[in-house]
Amino acid sequence: MKKKKCVAMLLAGGQGSRLKALTTTVAKPAVSFGGKYRIIDFPLSNCTNSGIDTVGVLTQYQPLILNEYIGTGGSWDLDRKNGGAHVLAPYQAKRGARWYEGTANAIYQNIQFLNKYDSEHVLILSGDHIYKMDYSKMLAQHISTDADITIAVIDVPMDEASRFGIMSYDKDRKIFDFAEKPKEPKSNHASMGVYMFKKDVLVKMLTEDDADETSEKDFGKNIIPKMLSLNMRVFAYQFEGYWKDVGTLKSLWEANMDLLGVNPVFALDGDAWKIYSGNNAYPPALFLNDGSANNSIVTEGDIIAGKVINSVIGEGVTIEEGAVVENSVVFSGSVIGAGSRVSYAIIDEDVQIGAGCVLGDKKSSPDRITLVGRNTVLPDGTAIESGSVTEAE
């Protein structure tokens, strides 16, 4: 088997509890985004566009939809005989399954996969971020600096820095200080959860960490601090583009809103860095009667007879006559009944909203997003206050 220069390991097993009903039956990376995508499309597409053709996708929580969605990886040109996309579940040992105990342990349990492809370097990614990034540039810097690990960082506002792992580095980008969610951050260089390791170094660090009973088996809490304490070659790769952690309802809503406008904050189309999707193909959207869309994304398969304002509408959605959807995100397959009003809401997949319903109120805002979970059916005339969560029974 041909030796690989770099293999990617994509951590996609998180429960995503802060997304509430969206992740009751679905792993966070499989949550819909931007009309026709899922969150995991972004790191997978980044790998394809960066020339990385071997990706291990580590699943754990509610993996069914994610496994079906990835399949053989063909949607991202990752169906290869020597490489490709591989879904990796928690290791089945003779004494039974062993759940992943942390991000580092998840990779440790899949060392056999790394050994199979015998790559020189290993790229570790999170499955819950929205961004476009050329990992080949990060790999080139990693090699040129002879780094044991290179950590991608993005500058964040100082008043938000305490939410992230924060790096301090010198003029050569060698990191000399790292703090996980510090109360008083020393810089605004935030870790993106994107790590490039020398493979041999990674295996050694993970093996030692697994033997340490006091460790939380986490890259940010254990592996990186230990590497710094040993004065290993820990470097930062400064990323300048758009990056969003969509781990909360508000951040997921904001990231969808960033797609809108003549000059959007984050553009999905119109450049060479294509984002691929494993979703099904639909016919073009159809506008009926007085149906309209203003400053919105309307996707294939939609039937629009109402008004869509400042919203993102997924595939195969029906918005019936007289309905108004504004400042909202509607996932695929849902129906908004005639005369209903939806404001500052996220509507999950295959939701049936009856006629004359009102979702949201005068208090609706990005801080009070109304959420309706997958497969929920709302009877005609239902009123739901802003900030509430409604799930199917």
Side-chain angles (χ1 to χ4, degrees):
M1 185 172 288
K2 185 179 178 183
K3 187 180 180 72
K4 299 285 183 180
K5 193 166 191 177
C6 183
V7 165
M9 300 292 274
L10 176 52
L11 296 163
Q15 184 171 351
S17 58
R18 292 180 300 165
L19 288 177
K20 301 179 182 178
L22 294 180
T23 51
T24 299
T25 59
V26 177
K28 181 163 59 170
V31 169
S32 296
F33 180 81
K36 61 181 180 180
Y37 303 96
R38 296 184 187 272
I39 296 171
I40 199 169
D41 288 333
F42 291 83
L44 285 176
S45 298
N46 288 340
C47 286
T48 296
N49 293 330
S50 301
I52 296 172
D53 64 9
T54 306
V55 184
V57 182
L58 284 64
T59 64
Q60 179 163 275
Y61 173 80
Q62 295 288 2
L64 182 60
I65 289 176
L66 190 61
N67 292 357
E68 290 178 346
Y69 183 69
I70 294 170
T72 61
S75 297
W76 304 270
D77 192 26
L78 290 171
D79 48 345
R80 314 270 178 122
K81 287 185 178 179
N82 179 26
H86 301 260
V87 176
L88 306 172
Y91 180 60
Q92 298 284 331
K94 286 184 180 180
R95 60 182 181 275
R98 179 185 173 190
W99 288 101
Y100 296 145
E101 297 171 33
T103 54
N105 177 256
I107 305 297
Y108 174 76
Q109 286 198 40
N110 289 283
I111 283 179
Q112 285 182 325
F113 177 82
L114 296 179
N115 289 336
K116 176 182 177 181
Y117 289 102
D118 192 26
S119 65
E120 296 175 52
H121 307 280
V122 179
L123 175 65
I124 297 174
L125 304 168
S126 297
D128 51 5
H129 299 149
I130 302 295
Y131 65 120
K132 296 180 180 180
M133 181 177 178
D134 188 345
Y135 302 134
S136 68
K137 294 181 179 178
M138 183 179 180
L139 177 60
Q141 181 194 298
H142 176 73
I143 293 171
S144 69
T145 56
D146 191 31
D148 293 312
I149 177 178
T150 300
I151 302 169
V153 300
I154 189 167
D155 290 351
V156 298
M158 280 301 293
D159 60 355
E160 296 180 16
S162 59
R163 295 172 41 219
F164 299 93
I166 295 297
M167 315 282 169
S168 297
Y169 56 80
D170 62 21
K171 61 181 176 58
D172 296 319
R173 295 187 176 172
K174 190 171 190 295
I175 296 171
F176 58 83
D177 184 73
F178 171 79
E180 184 72 27
K181 298 180 179 179
K183 290 183 179 180
E184 297 182 4
K186 296 178 182 178
S187 82
N188 66 334
H189 305 314
S191 170
M192 296 169 59
V194 176
Y195 312 124
M196 185 77 73
F197 277 90
K198 286 180 179 174
K199 185 222 170 181
D200 293 344
V201 170
L202 175 63
V203 171
K204 179 177 184 295
M205 297 304 299
L206 292 179
T207 303
E208 292 176 0
D209 185 68
D210 188 68
D212 182 357
E213 294 182 358
T214 66
S215 173
E216 296 181 56
K217 311 293 189 278
D218 185 85
F219 282 104
K221 295 175 182 176
N222 306 108
I223 302 293
I224 296 171
K226 184 176 180 181
M227 293 180 74
L228 285 169
S229 72
L230 296 172
N231 199 30
M232 298 178 75
R233 296 186 65 77
V234 181
F235 282 78
Y237 175 78
Q238 188 72 46
F239 179 67
E240 302 293 346
Y242 179 94
W243 177 84
K244 190 89 167 179
D245 181 339
V246 288
T248 66
L249 289 179
K250 183 180 180 180
S251 63
L252 179 64
W253 179 88
E254 287 175 341
N256 275 280
M257 295 300 110
D258 284 343
L259 304 174
L260 303 179
V262 177
N263 296 302
V265 177
F266 182 57
L268 289 179
D269 301 318
D271 62 17
W273 202 263
K274 181 174 172 57
I275 301 300
Y276 301 90
S277 170
N279 282 334
N280 297 324
Y282 283 88
L286 181 64
F287 286 83
L288 301 178
N289 305 325
D290 294 327
S292 64
N294 180 36
N295 192 41
S296 297
I297 290 175
V298 172
T299 315
E300 292 88 347
D302 292 341
I303 300 175
I304 311 294
K307 292 184 178 180
V308 179
I309 305 165
N310 200 51
S311 296
V312 176
I313 310 299
E315 296 171 311
V317 169
T318 299
I319 299 177
E320 296 181 351
E321 193 168 354
V324 177
V325 177
E326 56 183 344
N327 301 312
S328 295
V329 183
V330 182
F331 292 176
S332 65
S334 291
V335 175
I336 313 298
S340 290
R341 297 189 67 89
V342 177
S343 180
Y344 287 98
I346 297 177
I347 310 300
D348 204 345
E349 297 181 37
D350 299 318
V351 170
Q352 303 286 322
I353 295 176
C357 295
V358 179
L359 279 64
D361 49 41
K362 291 180 180 179
K363 295 181 180 178
S364 294
S365 73
D367 293 309
R368 289 178 62 87
I369 298 294
T370 302
L371 173 61
V372 181
R374 174 185 293 256
N375 296 320
T376 300
V377 177
L378 297 182
D380 294 352
T382 301
I384 298 178
E385 66 178 15
S386 64
S388 63
V389 178
T390 304
E391 291 189 74
E393 295 181 359

